[in-house]
Structure formats: structure tokens, C-alpha cells
């Protein structure tokens, strides 16, 4: 009888320990998550929400228990892993205003391509988090050595079956199998798919990851060719008229320089800085150039989203699952501005003073059609930094070295780095200049430091815009210069506390663009707001290239209302009336056909070959052009 009692108590102990640890894990997840909807204090009111938010971690802990046979060790490892995920999400939320999302895990593969240095700059400088991690690791090591196993090594196949079942469950969960939608059902838990940050606040970070994964898994929006054809046919007269008017621009073929300026915007839009002229060259040049505000599809980061739209003329609005386009592009040939310029005899060159592999640019630029990619290793070794990254002055020098007064025209697309964040750790060569920069009242000292560091580097970008414009003005060859910001800098606290003078919020705030005709021998300047995907059509028309019906169509629909639909992914949706909705949906069908290279038959009637055009790709070289030149 005594033996049976002892065995019963041992069995009960084996059950109570993991169950207690699981309960602690659920409460721990709510505490560390930090979002009010799944806070530990909500356990009585919203137990299912707390459980769902902790469930993937519980699965991991249970699998580790089966493998190690040690309960405390298994849950400690799961605690550490989940803590790292939630900490990364908190860092992203602080800087970009959005929690961790499924597409962000694609960034893991970019750590080896210069990403570790760039993204590592956002890690906290406070040693306490690292001390906590070190203590947790030491505890795990001790548990691995000293904790007794909870059950025997040999279980007659039960461990094997349990382990395989758990691996299968986890694989189907992370793959986004539809069956899991019942657990993370939006009707049961609630879901705000238009706002990841709001959804995380209500359901927690892990649940948000699962819900967005399940929402997008296997989703593939298909174009409607018939609807696209109806839209194009309805636009027939206007499109022909637009292209005919553009064809009257018979200027000498210019070189084209495009500057994508890292995090560039005019800080005078911040309340308290309205009267500060912090971008004098932008303002001076805008008096005799085409300029306006640019709606971009990202905030605080995700440069390649704006970059993709500008180089392709395709709006990411119509590809909702494409969070990081260069990491999700699979086509060997991507239609867009680069290939259109190649077909007109341009030599196409990309310039970027960073690791060429980051954001998968080496492969992406090949697909887009660039002939050459000048990256960090190709810059002069003695380029003096004034911050963490390649200065804009070195980029200007490199651009000028790529331009020629003879030979084929050149298209140079340059991506700056100097004003890249984080701004709390930026190296400043002239601290007196930095400290003299005005900042609004009502923000913390840390926020003031970050804003001053940003403006310090942004002013260098503005100065280089002025220098480059002056250099191009004195060239023998005519040149077009397009300059724009890719997104706002991640100065979230400043925006939240100071606000914007124009009443917008940080997720819908615009950045400036300016299109300068260095010799002034092209069309008259045209001002107005655009979306990033509308820029290439405008640029090519000013260059005298007018035979691509898709780009002409983007100009035909380029209204402020449609442009305003482009914004950061987490921004609230803008209202659409029936006509705008029709145009929006129709352009979505057109864009999807374009990216699949199925649009040409629908617009062939608008393409009139130019008999005077002599494209530089001829004969067997056409295959090389289609595949993209080696870099």
C-alpha cells in the first residue's frame, strides 16, 4: 500500500510540475509582452487571449521536454526564446511604430550581408538586458547539468510518437495551415488587419504574428485581365492624347541621375520648427524645378519598399503580401524603368555605399536590369565618414565619376546612407554644429539628441543636393536630376509629442521630391503631389521617353487622391469614393498583369516604335540584357 502511495505521489508530481510551469509561462508571456490586451492582470477576463498568445511557446517548451526530459530546463529555454522575440518586437515598435510581423523573419538571412552591423545599431546600449540574458543562459547551463529527468529515457516509443506529433503541430502552425484559423479566429479573439500595432495591443505580439501569418498564408491575389482590358479601353482616348502630348518633347537625350536620399524630409513640418530653414538647397532649387510631396509605402525603415516602387512603377498597395520586395522577387526579369531606359540605349548604373548583398540588392538589381552595381567596396578607400556610414559627399563624387560627355546616355541610380539611423548613437564630427540645431520644446533630452543628430546629417544631404545640382548645371551634356526621400526617419517620440504642423500623423506623412532639369531645355516644371510609383513615368516623360503605355497610364491616373492611398502599411486606410475605388482596383489589375509580364498584349495598340531609336542592345546581346548584366 505504501509503495502504491509513493508511486501515486511521484506520478502526480510529474504532472503538477509541467502544468505549473505552463501556467507560469502563460502569465510570463503576458507580462513580458507588455500590451494591455494580454497583460497578466487580464487573466481572469481574457484567459483565452493570454493562452493563445503563449501557445506557440508552450508547444516549443513541450517539445523540448520530450527531447530533454527536464521540465524546468525546457521551459527556461522556451522563456529565453520567447523573450528574445518579444524584445525584438519591442525594439521595432519603438523605432518603427509596428510590432514584429511574419515577413520580418526574412531579415534573418540578411544578417550576413551587412545587416548585422546596420540592424545591430538598434540594440539597446543599456547593459541590463544583456546581463539578464547572461544570467538566464547560466541558469540554463546549470539546469542542463543538475536537473534530474522527469521520466525515464526509454518509454516504449511514447517519446518518439509525442515528439513527431509536436514537430508536425509546430510545422503546420508556422506554415499557416488553415486549420489553425479556428484557434486564432478573428471572431473569437478579434482582429484589426488594417493595423498590426493596434492588433498587437489587443491580442499580443505572438497572436498578431500567428493571425497575420494565417491571413496571408497561401494568399495570392489574381488579376482580372478582362477588367484591366475594360479599364484600358475606357482610357483609350485620354491615353492616346496623353502619349501624343508627351511625344512633342523632342529634347536632346539627357543623362539621368536619381538620388534616393536616406530618411530625407523637411523637419520644418514638425511643430516648433515651422520657421527653421533646415533644407535651404531644396527650397532654392524648387523655385525653378518640378517638386512636391511624395507619398511613400513605408515609415522609419524598409527603404526597399520605396525603392521598388520608384524603379518599377508598381505600387506595393496591390501586392499586400510583398513586405520586402527584393527578398520576395523570384522573376529573373522584372519590368520597370531600368529596362525601359536600357531599351532606349541607356547604360544603367546603381551606386550604393553599403554592402551590395544587403536587402538582396545584387540579385534584385540584376533582375531589374542594371548593367553595373557600384557598392561600398568600389568607393575610394579614403572616403572620410562623418557618422556611421558612407557620407553623401563621397556618393556625389562617385556619381560624377560615372558620368561622361560622350558615348551612350547614362542612368545613375544612387542610394545614400549618411542619414541612416539609429540616431541616438550617431558619430558626429562637429558637436558644436549639432548642438546649435533648434529642436521643439516638450520632448525628452534623448529625443532632442536623436533629432539633432538626424538634422545634422540631413543638412549634409541637402548641401550635397545643392553641390550636385551645380555640378550638373556646368556639364556639357544635359542632365535630369531626381531627388527624393525614401521615408521619414524613425523619430517616433518626437512625432508623438510634438506633432506635425500639417495635421498628418507619422504613418501618412509625406517626404519631398524635386526633379531638376540642369540645362532647362525640357518641358516646363510641373508641381504637385505624387506617389513613389508615379515618379518613373514623370521622369521618363521629362527625358523625352514616351512609348511605354504603362508608365503613361500611371501619369494619366496620377491624382492627389490616388497618390494619398500610398502610405506605411500600418496607417489607417484612406477613404475612397466610387470613382477612386474603381480606378484603384483597375490599376491593381493592371499592375498585377504588369509584374507577370502579361500586360503587353493589352497595351500593344498604344506602342508606336520610334524609327529614330537605336537601342544599344542588339543581336545576341539582347539575351544578356533580358537576364541583367553581370555585376
Amino acid at each position: 500500500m505504501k509503495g502504491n502511495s509513493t508511486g501515486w505521489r511521484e506520478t502526480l508530481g510529474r504532472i503538477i510540475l509541467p502544468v505549473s510551469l505552463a501556467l507560469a509561462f502563460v502569465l510570463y508571456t503576458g507580462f513580458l509582452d507588455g500590451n494591455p490586451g494580454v497583460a497578466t492582470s487580464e487573466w481572469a477576463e481574457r484567459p483565452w487571449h493570454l493562452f493563445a498568445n503563449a501557445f506557440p511557446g508552450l508547444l516549443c517548451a513541450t517539445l523540448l521536454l520530450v527531447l530533454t526530459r527536464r521540465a524546468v530546463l525546457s521551459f527556461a529555454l522556451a522563456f529565453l526564446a520567447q523573450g528574445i522575440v518579444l524584445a525584438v518586437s519591442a525594439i521595432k515598435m519603438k523605432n518603427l511604430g509596428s510590432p514584429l510581423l511574419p515577413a520580418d523573419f526574412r531579415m534573418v538571412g540578411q544578417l550576413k550581408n551587412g545587416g548585422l552591423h546596420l540592424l545591430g545599431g538598434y540594440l539597446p546600449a543599456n547593459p541590463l538586458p544583456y546581463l539578464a540574458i547572461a544570467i538566464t543562459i547560466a541558469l540554463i547551463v546549470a539546469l542542463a547539468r543538475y536537473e534530474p529527468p522527469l521520466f525515464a529515457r526509454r518509454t516504449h516509443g511514447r517519446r518518439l510518437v509525442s515528439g513527431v506529433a509536436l514537430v508536425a503541430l509546430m510545422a503546420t502552425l508556422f506554415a499557416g495551415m488553415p486549420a489553425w484559423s479556428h484557434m486564432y479566429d478573428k471572431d473569437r479573439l478579434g482582429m484589426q488587419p488594417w493595423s498590426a500595432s493596434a492588433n498587437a495591443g489587443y491580442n499580443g505580439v505572438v497572436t498578431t504574428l500567428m493571425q497575420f501569418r494565417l491571413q496571408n498564408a497561401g494568399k495570392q491575389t489574381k488579376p482580372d485581365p478582362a477588367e484591366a482590358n475594360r479599364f484600358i479601353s475606357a482610357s483609350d482616348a485620354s491615353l492616346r492624347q496623353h502619349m501624343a502630348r508627351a511625344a512633342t518633347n523632342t529634347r536632346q537625350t539627357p543623362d539621368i541621375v536619381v538620388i534616393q536620399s536616406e530618411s530625407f524630409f523637411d523637419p520644418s513640418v514638425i511643430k516648433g520648427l515651422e520657421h527653421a530653414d533646415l533644407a535651404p538647397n531644396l527650397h532654392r532649387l524648387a523655385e525653378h524645378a518640378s517638386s512636391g510631396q511624395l507619398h511613400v509605402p513605408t515609415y522609419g525603415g524598409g527603404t526597399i519598399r520605396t525603392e521598388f516602387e520608384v524603379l518599377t512603377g508598381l505600387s506595393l498597395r496591390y501586392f499586400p503580401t510583398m513586405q520586402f520586395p527584393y527578398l520576395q522577387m523570384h522573376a529573373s526579369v522584372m519590368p520597370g524603368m531600368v529596362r525601359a531606359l536600357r531599351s532606349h540605349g541607356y547604360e544603367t548604373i546603381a551606386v550604393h555605399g553599403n554592402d551590395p548583398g544587403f536587402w538582396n540588392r545584387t540579385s534584385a538589381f540584376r533582375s531589374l536590369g542594371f548593367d553595373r552595381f557600384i557598392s561600398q567596396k568600389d568607393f575610394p578607400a579614403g572616403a572620410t565618414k562623418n557618422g556611421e556610414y558612407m557620407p553623401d559627399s563621397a556618393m556625389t563624387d562617385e556619381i560624377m565619376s560615372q558620368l561622361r560627355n560622350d558615348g551612350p546616355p547614362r542612368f545613375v541610380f544612387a542610394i545614400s546612407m549618411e542619414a541612416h539611423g539609429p540616431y541616438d548613437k550617431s558619430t558626429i564630427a562637429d558637436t558644436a554644429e549639432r548642438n546649435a540645431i533648434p529642436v521643439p520644446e516638450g520632448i525628452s533630452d534623448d529625443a532632442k539628441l536623436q533629432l539633432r543628430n538626424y538634422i545634422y546629417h540631413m543638412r549634409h544631404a541637402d548641401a550635397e543636393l545643392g553641390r550636385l545640382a551645380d555640378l550638373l548645371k556646368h556639364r556639357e551634356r544635359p542632365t535630369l536630376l531626381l531627388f527624393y526621400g525614401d521615408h521619414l526617419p524613425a523619430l517616433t517620440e518626437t512625432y508623438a509629442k510634438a506633432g506635425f504642423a500639417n495635421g498628418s500623423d507619422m504613418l501618412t506623412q509625406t517626404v519631398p521630391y524635386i526633379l531638376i532639369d540642369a540645362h532647362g531645355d525640357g518641358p516646363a516644371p510641373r508641381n504637385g503631389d505624387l506617389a513613389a510609383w508615379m515618379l518613373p513615368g514623370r521622369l521618363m516623360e521629362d527625358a523625352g521617353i514616351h512609348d511605354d503605355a504603362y508608365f503613361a497610364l500611371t501619369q494619366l491616373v496620377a491624382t492627389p487622391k490616388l497618390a494619398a492611398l500610398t502610405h506605411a502599411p500600418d496607417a489607417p486606410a484612406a477613404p475612397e469614393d466610387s470613382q477612386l475605388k474603381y480606378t484603384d482596383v483597375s490599376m491593381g489589375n493592371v499592375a498585377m498583369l504588369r509584374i507577370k509580364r502579361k500586360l503587353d498584349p493589352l497595351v500593344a495598340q498604344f506602342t508606336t516604335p520610334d524609327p529614330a531609336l537605336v537601342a544599344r542592345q542588339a543581336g545576341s546581346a539582347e539575351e544578356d540584357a533580358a537576364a541583367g548584366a553581370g555585376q
Side-chain angles (χ1 to χ4, degrees):
M1 193 74 179
K2 182 178 179 181
N4 289 339
S5 176
T6 302
W8 179 84
R9 283 196 296 269
E10 289 179 354
T11 301
L12 184 62
R14 292 194 186 104
I15 295 172
I16 290 176
L17 177 60
V19 169
S20 299
L21 288 170
L23 178 60
F25 187 90
V26 172
L27 298 177
Y28 153 87
T29 301
F31 167 76
L32 200 60
D33 187 293
N35 282 296
V38 290
T40 305
S41 58
E42 295 291 312
W43 70 269
E45 298 294 329
R46 314 182 82 218
W48 182 254
H49 289 76
L50 269 71
F51 175 74
N53 197 41
F55 181 70
L58 288 172
L59 277 182
C60 292
T62 306
L63 176 60
L64 288 168
L65 175 59
V66 170
L67 295 175
T68 67
R69 299 181 297 132
R70 290 164 174 80
V72 179
L73 171 64
S74 299
F75 278 89
L77 286 168
F79 284 175
L80 178 62
Q82 182 134 304
I84 291 173
V85 169
L86 294 174
V88 170
S89 182
I91 292 171
K92 186 189 174 194
M93 189 70 196
K94 176 184 176 182
N95 287 281
L96 304 182
S98 175
L100 201 62
L101 291 172
D104 294 326
F105 287 89
R106 295 178 183 271
M107 290 297 298
V108 174
Q110 296 300 300
L111 295 179
K112 64 181 183 296
N113 298 324
L116 187 61
H117 168 69
L118 191 149
L119 298 174
Y122 291 94
L123 295 176
N126 190 322
L128 291 180
Y130 306 105
L131 180 62
I133 292 174
I135 292 173
T136 303
I137 291 174
L139 176 62
I140 288 171
V141 171
L143 288 170
R145 184 170 182 179
Y146 297 112
E147 184 186 6
L150 195 62
F151 47 84
R153 180 186 300 272
R154 299 183 181 278
T155 57
H156 306 290
R158 288 193 292 272
R159 284 179 66 202
L160 177 62
V161 172
S162 300
V164 170
L166 286 165
V167 168
L169 281 173
M170 292 172 64
T172 57
L173 176 62
F174 296 142
M177 295 294 288
W180 287 104
S181 298
H182 296 292
M183 178 169 186
Y184 291 98
D185 182 58
K186 62 182 180 181
D187 293 327
R188 174 185 295 175
L189 296 176
M191 184 180 181
Q192 301 180 51
W194 56 87
S195 174
S197 59
N199 197 74
Y202 187 74
N203 284 330
V205 171
V206 177
T207 292
T208 295
L209 277 166
M210 293 298 105
Q211 287 186 318
F212 276 74
R213 179 72 181 100
L214 291 163
Q215 175 182 257
N216 295 329
K219 179 187 289 185
Q220 187 174 11
T221 307
K222 296 182 179 179
D224 184 342
E227 177 56 37
N229 190 48
R230 283 193 292 271
F231 177 66
I232 293 170
S233 298
S235 306
D236 183 280
S238 300
L239 187 58
R240 290 184 187 278
Q241 184 180 11
H242 182 92
M243 295 182 74
R245 185 168 57 250
T248 61
N249 176 16
T250 56
R251 63 175 300 159
Q252 179 185 349
T253 302
D255 282 343
I256 299 174
V257 176
V258 176
I259 305 293
Q260 180 172 273
S261 188
E262 172 61 41
S263 299
F264 189 93
F265 86 121
D266 186 350
S268 65
V269 75
I270 298 175
K271 288 182 180 178
L273 296 178
E274 296 97 324
H275 305 296
D277 188 4
L278 299 170
N281 289 283
L282 176 72
H283 300 151
R284 169 179 64 85
L285 293 167
E287 293 178 2
H288 306 287
S290 298
S291 63
Q293 291 299 304
L294 191 68
H295 296 267
V296 294
T298 187
Y299 161 77
T303 293
I304 57 168
R305 291 179 60 80
T306 303
E307 188 175 313
F308 174 85
E309 291 202 349
V310 171
L311 290 176
T312 63
L314 296 167
S315 172
L316 286 170
R317 174 178 175 78
Y318 305 130
F319 307 95
T321 62
M322 194 179 286
Q323 184 71 20
F324 300 123
Y326 289 176
L327 305 183
Q328 297 170 261
M329 277 171 43
H330 304 297
S332 59
V333 175
M334 178 65 67
M337 175 168 61
V338 186
R339 293 194 177 278
L341 292 173
R342 284 174 68 102
S343 72
H344 282 261
Y346 276 81
E347 195 173 336
T348 55
I349 305 160
V351 176
H352 182 41
N354 196 31
D355 189 307
F358 187 61
W359 283 131
N360 198 35
R361 279 193 174 99
T362 299
S363 176
F365 282 175
R366 188 178 297 116
S367 297
L368 288 163
F370 280 104
D371 293 310
R372 289 187 289 124
F373 184 9
I374 309 300
S375 62
Q376 186 176 26
K377 66 183 186 303
D378 304 308
F379 276 64
T384 302
K385 291 186 178 181
N386 192 355
E388 299 296 319
Y389 307 104
M390 191 68 69
D392 282 14
S393 57
M395 184 184 70
T396 299
D397 294 341
E398 187 59 41
I399 290 168
M400 293 306 300
S401 74
Q402 296 298 324
L403 298 175
R404 303 283 187 271
N405 283 320
D406 57 1
R410 290 193 166 190
F411 168 65
V412 180
F413 179 74
I415 308 160
S416 77
M417 280 294 291
E418 181 177 342
H420 202 290
Y423 305 108
D424 56 345
K425 304 175 185 177
S426 182
T427 303
I428 300 297
D430 189 341
T431 54
E433 177 189 341
R434 188 269 312 275
N435 294 340
I437 294 171
V439 292
E441 296 299 325
I443 60 176
S444 70
D445 289 342
D446 286 344
K448 289 178 180 178
L449 174 64
Q450 292 180 43
L451 180 57
R452 284 192 170 108
N453 283 342
Y454 164 73
I455 293 175
Y456 175 86
H457 291 298
M458 182 279 298
R459 289 169 69 174
H460 291 175
D462 177 74
E464 288 305 313
L465 167 62
R467 181 166 80 98
L468 180 58
D470 291 341
L471 289 170
L472 297 178
K473 184 177 180 179
H474 292 93
R475 290 188 71 221
E476 178 183 334
R477 199 166 204 163
T479 311
L480 286 177
L481 170 60
L482 171 63
F483 177 97
Y484 64 91
D486 57 352
H487 52 69
L488 260 65
L491 301 169
T492 305
E493 181 188 334
T494 295
Y495 307 144
K497 291 186 177 179
F500 294 100
N502 60 10
S504 294
D505 60 46
M506 64 187 182
L507 298 180
T508 57
Q509 189 61 247
T510 54
V511 294
Y513 79 89
I514 183 170
L515 177 55
I516 302 166
D517 190 336
H519 288 186
D521 54 358
R526 293 176 289 170
N527 297 331
D529 295 354
L530 295 172
W533 58 276
M534 299 171 180
L535 271 183
R538 172 68 60 85
L539 175 63
M540 289 196 295
E541 283 189 0
D542 277 20
I545 299 171
H546 47 73
D547 59 348
D548 189 310
Y550 173 75
F551 284 120
L553 190 62
T554 67
Q555 299 309 290
L556 196 64
V557 300
T559 65
K561 285 186 177 181
L562 188 61
L565 298 181
T566 293
H567 48 62
D570 210 32
E576 297 182 68
D577 58 33
S578 58
Q579 183 58 46
L580 184 62
K581 181 71 173 178
Y582 169 71
T583 304
D584 185 28
V585 171
S586 298
M587 281 304 297
N589 284 309
V590 170
M592 284 184 277
L593 290 171
R594 170 81 166 180
I595 202 171
K596 294 175 179 293
R597 301 170 66 197
K598 295 180 178 179
L599 183 65
D600 288 351
L602 300 183
V603 297
Q605 58 183 315
F606 301 103
T607 303
T608 305
D610 186 347
L613 176 65
V614 181
R616 65 183 172 82
Q617 297 91 354
S620 62
E622 291 180 356
E623 294 183 4
D624 295 334
Q631 300 167 34

